[in-house]
Amino acid sequence: MGQDGWRRSDAWIFVAVVMANGAGRHMRSATTRRPEGVRLADVLSMADHLRQLLPGRREVEEAVRRLTGAGLITVVDGWFRVTAAGGTLWRNRRSGVGAVDTVYTQLLRRPIPDDSDWTLDDADHAAAILEYAGRAETTD
């Protein structure tokens, strides 16, 4: 997969992880033992906000494989986090155009990463969509 190069969906998922993490930090209590980061439902929610579209399971899986392979994000025990390298990429993007477009341009300048072995099974993807849908219903 990584040999195919960067895809626009990689930028979309990366921006969703970054933005979901920024929005979710206020939810983490200083006394909690929960690791910093966000869950898949948070990433899907932000992806939907960005494009009014939920990414499919395969699209998420392939993007996360490339992004983790490039060292831009990590996923540990279901918690998605932005790495220092990912934070640098985010801070160095040019403004004036949509975040996904600017990140995609930056990804295209990076070497093609080796894929990680991260997988997302259908049941986990479906559960995250249901969790997100449940949140949306309670805010209507």
Side-chain angles (χ1 to χ4, degrees):
M1 253 178 284
Q3 279 47 9
D4 295 338
W6 290 106
R7 297 187 181 140
R8 188 168 162 65
S9 57
D10 301 338
W12 177 32
I13 299 303
F14 176 76
V15 171
V17 171
V18 169
M19 295 179 93
N21 268 282
R25 288 191 184 171
H26 70 281
M27 297 187 298
R28 184 172 186 250
S29 164
T31 59
T32 187
R33 295 182 69 150
R34 177 178 69 78
E36 188 173 345
V38 295
R39 304 297 278 176
L40 179 57
D42 303 310
V43 175
L44 295 177
S45 172
M46 188 55 68
D48 186 30
H49 173 75
L50 290 166
R51 291 187 57 199
Q52 287 71 55
L53 179 70
L54 283 171
R57 185 206 61 80
R58 184 173 175 190
E59 196 168 28
V60 173
E61 182 178 78
E62 290 177 358
V64 170
R65 284 179 174 184
R66 281 187 287 276
L67 294 167
T68 56
L72 299 173
I73 67 170
T74 61
V75 184
V76 178
D77 295 329
W79 294 97
F80 291 72
R81 292 183 270 307
V82 180
T83 65
T88 299
L89 182 133
W90 178 251
R91 284 187 302 279
N92 290 336
R93 76 192 187 292
R94 292 185 182 178
S95 59
V97 182
V100 173
D101 292 332
T102 58
V103 166
Y104 183 52
T105 299
Q106 287 195 314
L107 289 176
L108 290 174
R109 294 181 186 139
R110 297 177 63 91
I112 298 170
D114 291 329
D115 288 341
S116 71
D117 60 358
W118 188 81
T119 59
L120 174 58
D121 75 34
D122 290 326
D124 290 340
H125 184 252
I129 289 173
L130 287 174
E131 181 182 339
Y132 167 56
R135 291 180 195 172
E137 285 180 9
T138 60
T139 59
D140 289 341

